[in-house]
Amino acid sequence: MFYVSKVSIPFFFLAVLDLIYSLFLRTFTVDVKSLWTVAVFGFVAHTIMGAMYQIVPNSQNRPLKLPLLSYVVFVLSLASSVAFYSSNHFIGSLIHLVSCLIFFFHVLSSMRNFQPITVKFLTLGSLYFLLSGIFLVLSELGYIPFALAVHTLTVGFMLKVVVGVELAWIPMLYMEPLNLTLSKRLFYLGLFTTPPFLISFYLYSYKLIALMSFLVLAFVGYYLYLIYSLFVKRRTPKEIPYVIKYLLLALFILPFGLLIGSFMAGKELVSHMVFLHFDLLIYGFTAITIMGGMSHLYPRIVYNMKFSKKEGVYISDLVDEKAIKRILPLTVVALAWMVFAEAQGRPLSYLATIPYLILWLYFSYAVLIRGLLFRPKLSS
């Protein structure tokens, strides 16, 4: 790595804490707004912020300017999470907005070369991240719907960043060239389809939301075709790395979550299907993508921080690869149980998140904690 972001590590731990607290809310409260806030503006936002502090400088081959600012952003992010945990949504949204502003201009100051397709997606996503912070505050003041702020972060920020990063990682890890022409078309498709979708949430017409959601589905469908073409054109059979398996499983779940969202809006069944939509897209697509991303990025950060100059230590030593491979199929089982148990109502729904929580604790130990606690064997 050209540049190592030390602040990414606490960001990832904060994100996992956000996830665990969201599972607590998912089980013991009917306050959907608090759940969405902690899961989306906590877990999702903080994971991607930590990842971008590592990815952006390396994409530019230049160190991050004023690294101290990244720690200021982290402290503000931690403070916003604490406010969200205590249901102080307005205070939390204000703190979150300040962190968004600093993060946006801090990351933007490190960008010089906007030509790579990944950088284009990261830049566009960062703009939507700033907008989502503004919209969150405006929603607390009653000027716009809260759902607009949520979908600005998920569809505008998270989806763009995930697509941008995967367009770099999947071809690199699978060792197949990317079709740059199709990638550029994908970027422009995302550029022009997201605003109408978000405007439909501002107008808050369910029929219009359902109609505009097909624009997002078109973007996702084109992206899935682009990824599919990478695997079809391979000349010889190749083993798929476990990181890519996580990303592909998440991409398999993504269109189902989007279709359910479109269906529930079109039929105005939001109150009946919102948890299914939420579970598939946040605890399914997003969380599984994050598992794959963390298992690839985190051990490399720790290795370059602590062990790059020590002989006999490898990146694979810092992550329990057997555990990561074991967790992958179990995520499907845990997610299916969550959906099933929630549909049965009380008291079974109290047990809905337990297998999923256990998996994330296991994952955290196998990746996050193992890397920090690893000690090389002393040579005799």
Side-chain angles (χ1 to χ4, degrees):
M1 285 180 173
F2 171 78
Y3 176 82
V4 179
S5 170
K6 296 180 180 180
V7 78
S8 296
I9 292 178
F11 259 115
F12 290 157
F13 275 94
L14 175 59
V16 172
L17 182 62
D18 292 328
L19 173 69
I20 292 172
Y21 193 79
S22 76
L23 292 173
F24 171 82
L25 292 174
R26 179 74 172 73
T27 303
F28 296 107
T29 183
V30 294
D31 186 358
V32 175
K33 182 179 180 180
S34 292
L35 170 62
W36 285 2
T37 303
V38 171
V40 174
F41 295 95
F43 169 58
V44 177
H46 295 155
T47 303
I48 299 178
M49 291 167 77
M52 284 186 65
Y53 268 131
Q54 177 60 47
I55 293 169
V56 169
N58 283 282
S59 72
Q60 300 293 304
N61 287 318
R62 54 185 293 126
L64 191 69
K65 288 188 176 181
L66 299 174
L68 182 62
L69 274 181
S70 64
Y71 291 94
V72 174
V73 173
F74 171 74
V75 171
L76 289 170
S77 299
L78 176 61
S80 68
S81 282
V82 172
F84 292 147
Y85 296 167
S86 57
S87 297
N88 290 319
H89 294 149
F90 181 64
I91 298 300
S93 66
L94 287 176
I95 299 173
H96 177 74
L97 175 56
V98 176
S99 72
C100 288
L101 283 165
I102 300 175
F103 175 81
F104 174 75
F105 289 106
H106 192 205
V107 168
L108 199 65
S109 69
S110 298
M111 293 185 177
R112 289 294 182 270
N113 180 11
F114 293 91
Q115 293 306 311
I117 190 65
T118 294
V119 178
K120 291 180 185 293
F121 273 107
L122 294 179
T123 305
L124 180 61
S126 297
L127 177 60
Y128 278 115
F129 181 55
L130 177 58
L131 286 175
S132 72
I134 296 171
F135 290 165
L136 182 60
V137 173
L138 291 177
S139 70
E140 288 296 320
L141 296 172
Y143 290 111
I144 62 173
F146 175 66
L148 172 58
V150 170
H151 287 84
T152 301
L153 192 142
T154 53
V155 176
F157 175 51
M158 181 267 292
L159 187 58
K160 301 297 183 296
V161 170
V162 166
V163 168
V165 172
E166 289 185 356
L167 285 176
W169 283 8
I170 294 179
M172 175 187 67
L173 294 173
Y174 197 61
M175 293 183 290
E176 286 288 345
L178 180 68
N179 188 315
L180 295 179
T181 300
L182 294 182
S183 299
K184 290 179 181 178
R185 291 174 183 172
L186 177 70
F187 173 75
Y188 289 112
L189 184 62
L191 183 66
F192 292 112
T193 57
T194 303
F197 175 69
L198 296 179
I199 289 172
S200 70
F201 275 94
Y202 176 75
L203 299 175
Y204 219 72
S205 164
Y206 285 131
K207 297 296 184 183
L208 185 60
I209 291 172
L211 181 62
M212 293 297 103
S213 66
F214 282 96
L215 296 176
V216 179
L217 282 164
F219 171 77
V220 169
Y222 196 91
Y223 174 62
L224 292 177
Y225 169 75
L226 182 56
I227 295 300
Y228 171 75
S229 66
L230 282 174
F231 293 89
V232 169
K233 67 182 181 182
R234 68 189 187 278
R235 294 184 178 90
T236 58
K238 298 178 183 178
E239 182 178 355
I240 300 176
Y242 68 85
V243 171
I244 294 183
K245 289 181 180 179
Y246 272 89
L247 303 182
L248 293 179
L249 174 60
L251 289 175
F252 178 78
I253 296 172
L254 175 59
F256 292 102
L258 293 175
L259 284 169
I260 287 172
S262 177
F263 177 80
M264 75 178 187
K267 297 296 183 179
E268 298 189 13
L269 296 172
V270 175
S271 61
H272 296 82
M273 303 181 69
V274 67
F275 275 117
L276 179 58
H277 174 66
F278 179 86
D279 289 345
L280 290 178
L281 291 182
I282 300 299
Y283 296 133
F285 164 68
T286 306
I288 295 173
T289 299
I290 287 172
M291 279 183 166
M294 281 187 179
S295 63
H296 174 73
L297 193 61
Y298 182 88
R300 284 160 175 78
I301 295 173
V302 175
Y303 175 81
N304 281 274
M305 282 177 53
K306 300 176 62 176
F307 304 111
S308 60
K309 297 181 180 180
K310 294 185 179 181
E311 295 183 1
V313 180
Y314 304 95
I315 293 175
S316 58
D317 295 327
L318 306 182
V319 58
D320 188 342
E321 293 188 357
K322 290 183 179 179
I324 298 303
K325 293 176 182 177
R326 193 179 300 124
I327 289 170
L328 178 61
L330 293 177
T331 57
V332 179
V333 177
L335 186 64
W337 167 254
M338 186 187 299
V339 171
F340 170 78
E342 177 63 31
Q344 305 309 306
R346 308 300 186 194
L348 194 61
S349 61
Y350 285 118
L351 306 176
T353 61
I354 291 178
Y356 190 85
L357 172 61
I358 293 173
L359 272 185
W360 261 96
L361 293 175
Y362 186 27
F363 174 85
S364 299
Y365 173 77
V367 177
L368 304 186
I369 296 174
R370 179 186 173 93
L372 290 181
L373 296 183
F374 178 80
R375 296 291 182 270
K377 295 179 181 179
L378 295 176
S379 58
S380 56

